[in-house]
Amino acid sequence: MRRGKFRAMLECRCPQCRIGRVFTGSAYSFHKQRTNEVCAYCGLQFEIEPGYFYAAMYVSYAMSVAEVVGGGALIYFLTRSESPTLYAIALFVIIIASSPINYRYSRLILLYYLTPRLKYDSKYQDLYEQRHQD
């Protein structure tokens, strides 16, 4: 079963083989979120150089700003309220609830779209399909 780029990213799969998992566990668990060091299937090292994922903070910040602006606009259109307390509480909840998703997808956006030297290699999916035909 071939995974497209978007589907592989949504499933948090390796950008090179689209089979191995980038993260351990689920986004909303009580265990610490962790990015695997290497892909278990193709051996790609996810942190290409020391401090590579610091750039994901900027992507995460942009995602958070979009969520706050969108959430604030949605709250306004639903309630027409001008209460700063309502906005502060609601936007705080939105930021806290979306932080595990921002953590994961900011790193995936960095790997999939902002790192030009990482390329998809179909040979890994061909090998995977051959092994799992039965």
Side-chain angles (χ1 to χ4, degrees), residues 1-2 41 125-134:
M1 173 173 85
R2 295 214 175 259
Y41 191 79
Q125 283 198 357
D126 293 339
L127 288 171
Y128 183 80
E129 288 174 357
Q130 287 175 0
R131 290 180 187 164
H132 294 89
Q133 268 184 343
D134 300 328

Side-chain angles (χ1 to χ4, degrees), residues 76-89:
Y76 176 76
F77 288 121
L78 291 176
T79 66
R80 300 284 184 197
S81 174
E82 295 182 8
S83 168
T85 306
L86 171 68
Y87 287 97
I89 292 170

Side-chain angles (χ1 to χ4, degrees), residues 2-37:
R2 295 214 175 259
R3 286 184 181 92
K5 186 176 189 176
F6 186 72
R7 181 173 170 211
M9 194 174 119
L10 284 177
E11 293 177 359
C12 301
R13 302 292 181 160
C14 171
Q16 181 170 279
C17 66
R18 297 183 184 168
I19 296 168
R21 296 189 179 276
V22 178
F23 302 99
T24 58
S26 68
Y28 291 101
S29 68
F30 289 108
H31 301 289
K32 182 179 178 184
Q33 290 241 18
R34 193 172 69 84
T35 305
N36 292 323
E37 292 180 21

Side-chain angles (χ1 to χ4, degrees), residues 10-127:
L10 284 177
E11 293 177 359
C12 301
R13 302 292 181 160
C14 171
Q16 181 170 279
C17 66
R18 297 183 184 168
I19 296 168
R21 296 189 179 276
V22 178
F23 302 99
T24 58
S26 68
Y28 291 101
S29 68
F30 289 108
H31 301 289
K32 182 179 178 184
Q33 290 241 18
R34 193 172 69 84
T35 305
N36 292 323
E37 292 180 21
V38 295
C39 176
Y41 191 79
C42 70
L44 173 70
Q45 184 173 351
F46 294 124
E47 189 167 5
I48 296 167
E49 57 192 36
Y52 174 74
F53 285 123
Y54 284 126
M57 290 188 306
Y58 298 106
V59 177
S60 179
Y61 177 74
M63 292 169 69
S64 295
V65 168
E67 292 159 0
V68 165
V69 169
L74 183 66
I75 292 167
Y76 176 76
F77 288 121
L78 291 176
T79 66
R80 300 284 184 197
S81 174
E82 295 182 8
S83 168
T85 306
L86 171 68
Y87 287 97
I89 292 170
L91 295 178
F92 178 76
V93 168
I94 288 171
I95 289 172
I96 296 300
S98 65
S99 64
I101 299 298
N102 289 351
Y103 170 81
R104 285 179 176 234
Y105 288 103
S106 64
R107 288 177 177 227
L108 288 168
I109 288 169
L110 185 66
L111 287 170
Y112 273 84
Y113 295 105
L114 302 176
T115 307
R117 69 181 187 192
L118 284 182
K119 300 286 184 207
Y120 167 66
D121 193 345
S122 64
K123 74 178 180 185
Y124 293 109
Q125 283 198 357
D126 293 339
L127 288 171

